[in-house]
Amino acid sequence: PELVAEIEAFVEQEMAARQIPGAALGIVKGDELVYANGFGAQELGGDDPVAPDTNFLIRSVTKSFTGVGVMQLVEQGLIDLDAPVTDYLPYFTLAEPESREITVRQLLAHTSGMPDVADFDAEQLESELPRGDGALEQYIKSWSDASLVFPPGTDWKYSTVGIDVLGDIIAKASGQTFEEYMDENVLGPLGMTASTFNLDEVNPENLVTPHRLDGEQAVPMDYIVWAQVHAPGSGLITTVEDMARFAIANMNHGTIQDVEYMPATVYEEMWQPQTPPTPWIDWLGTRFNHYGLGWWVGEDGGHEAIGNYGASNGANAHLEILPEHDMAVIFLGNFMDFDQLIFHANDIGSAIAVKLAAAESEV
């Protein structure tokens, strides 16, 4: 009880100092969600409180889900990690001919040289992005005149668009839409019934309002940074309760409640660093030491940390697994301002993870 009170006081203090209107926290230990709570309100000044079943957009944490989808199909022999993307998407190309040499593994590890959207808000608000069953293919074709950031496999650069390409590979390899495949093979088997890759399916009364700064004051946004074409890279909407099920399944190397949704051997490769130390270490800390296949591989407070962390204007999300402690921390918030570039949920989630690990070590 003392530790719970300490953590809750810390969350409330940090939310007040950082102007976060609403947040949800989940702590997983072993096979259980041992703590779940909501803090604050879905919208600043509103009456609807955040609860463990409140929906949040988790942005780049989505990439781990898409990575799982890819690895499932690798295990089925339908995708080869080291095959060129063009084996699955013959229309895939950028301006340089060597772009056709980009492999599935390179996209998943962000070593492909794929460029990225400069401003996701502007893209969404100023252009008509495709929607419908063929949206991903149409969007990927629209990048054919873009230039590589570097030759494939020679460097590292984070690219949400690169993960979106993987969503189309999942669709073509499986014969389903990306959303259908993920619903039937990832979300469904895990019992993530409150989660979706389609914003239109979410009850708006149970969805937090995004907030960003107006001057120095956090204010509600009148739009959500979400687009169907970016569903594979940043589009999952979910809850702390559902995220706990995903964390448990991965902590158990692909199994939850005796249901195996992925072979345990996959983790030997998926959680293996695929990159040298990334340039994000100096910016965001040692949780960002390396990138695996859809996951960050690093350490936090001296503890091995596997996770993913998401941010956009109005949303910030944190999923951190501490394998040696059989523990995970999920923290979701409805405030973020990219002009400020402070990742509040990640700061808070990391501090809680380190605090819990230290407390366990003292027992």
Side-chain angles (χ1 to χ4, degrees):
E2 293 83 3
L3 183 58
V4 169
E6 182 182 340
I7 288 173
E8 289 180 342
F10 170 73
V11 170
E12 290 167 354
Q13 171 187 314
E14 291 295 307
M15 286 178 63
R18 296 167 180 265
Q19 298 193 66
I20 304 172
L25 169 64
I27 299 170
V28 172
K29 179 66 177 174
D31 290 335
E32 293 184 63
L33 175 61
V34 296
Y35 177 91
N37 199 6
F39 299 83
Q42 293 185 24
E43 181 171 341
L44 190 66
D47 296 326
D48 296 323
V50 173
D53 64 351
T54 299
N55 285 115
F56 288 79
L57 181 61
I58 61 168
R59 304 308 301 176
S60 283
V61 180
T62 305
K63 292 176 171 65
S64 291
F65 288 83
T66 300
V68 163
V70 169
M71 297 304 289
Q72 285 180 333
L73 292 167
V74 168
E75 285 300 299
Q76 295 172 37
L78 296 175
I79 292 178
D80 180 346
L81 279 176
D82 296 309
V85 172
T86 51
D87 279 9
Y88 310 97
L89 313 179
Y91 45 82
F92 174 76
T93 187
L94 275 71
E96 297 82 4
E98 58 263 42
S99 64
R100 297 183 66 80
E101 301 170 6
I102 291 174
T103 68
V104 176
R105 182 188 300 274
Q106 288 168 347
L107 288 177
L108 200 47
H110 300 287
T111 59
S112 68
M114 277 291 297
D116 208 357
V117 177
D119 186 332
F120 285 91
D121 294 63
E123 181 195 57
Q124 176 179 322
L125 297 173
E126 297 173 8
S127 62
E128 293 188 7
L129 293 171
R131 301 198 67 174
D133 288 352
L136 270 174
E137 178 176 330
Q138 186 179 344
Y139 183 70
I140 289 165
K141 288 177 177 177
S142 74
W143 282 79
S144 61
D145 293 330
S147 291
L148 288 166
V149 180
F150 50 79
T154 64
D155 205 343
W156 183 89
K157 186 182 186 301
Y158 200 74
S159 174
T160 291
V161 173
I163 305 299
D164 297 331
V165 174
L166 288 172
D168 200 25
I169 292 175
I170 287 174
K172 297 305 190 293
S174 68
Q176 300 176 277
T177 67
F178 168 76
E179 293 85 355
E180 288 170 346
Y181 179 85
M182 297 299 289
D183 285 346
E184 292 180 17
N185 296 277
V186 180
L187 303 182
L190 296 184
M192 297 180 64
T193 56
S195 303
T196 178
F197 287 90
N198 187 347
L199 183 62
D200 294 336
E201 294 180 352
V202 180
N203 178 358
E205 294 182 0
N206 197 48
L207 177 67
V208 295
T209 298
H211 298 74
R212 66 177 302 184
L213 292 177
D214 181 5
E216 297 183 357
Q217 182 66 45
V219 297
M221 295 168 57
D222 59 5
Y223 65 95
I224 297 174
V225 186
W226 183 93
Q228 182 186 344
V229 294
H230 297 309
S234 62
L236 184 63
I237 302 99
T238 186
T239 69
V240 153
E241 292 177 337
D242 271 13
M243 284 293 293
R245 300 185 67 81
F246 184 67
I248 291 167
N250 285 283
M251 289 162 61
N252 289 339
H253 288 189
T255 301
I256 183 169
Q257 295 178 342
D258 297 325
V259 174
E260 181 185 89
Y261 86 117
M262 195 161 63
T265 53
V266 169
Y267 289 83
E268 297 172 9
E269 188 160 25
M270 192 164 63
W271 286 0
Q272 179 69 27
Q274 302 287 315
T275 67
T278 76
W280 285 18
I281 299 172
D282 294 336
W283 177 31
L284 295 171
T286 54
R287 284 182 287 115
F288 298 82
N289 280 350
H290 305 277
Y291 206 85
L293 295 175
W295 295 82
W296 286 99
V297 180
E299 62 93 20
D300 200 5
H303 309 279
E304 180 188 9
I306 308 290
N308 224 320
Y309 317 99
S312 68
N313 281 320
N316 201 189
H318 179 96
L319 169 61
E320 181 175 354
I321 295 171
L322 301 180
E324 65 193 72
H325 292 277
D326 201 20
M327 181 189 301
V329 173
I330 303 147
F331 194 86
L332 312 177
N334 64 352
F335 169 72
M336 170 72 192
D337 193 298
F338 249 83
D339 291 338
Q340 190 184 45
L341 270 185
I342 298 175
F343 301 97
H344 305 282
N346 308 131
D347 292 345
I348 295 170
S350 171
I352 292 170
V354 172
K355 186 186 296 288
L356 288 168
E360 184 178 73
S361 298
E362 292 172 1
V363 174

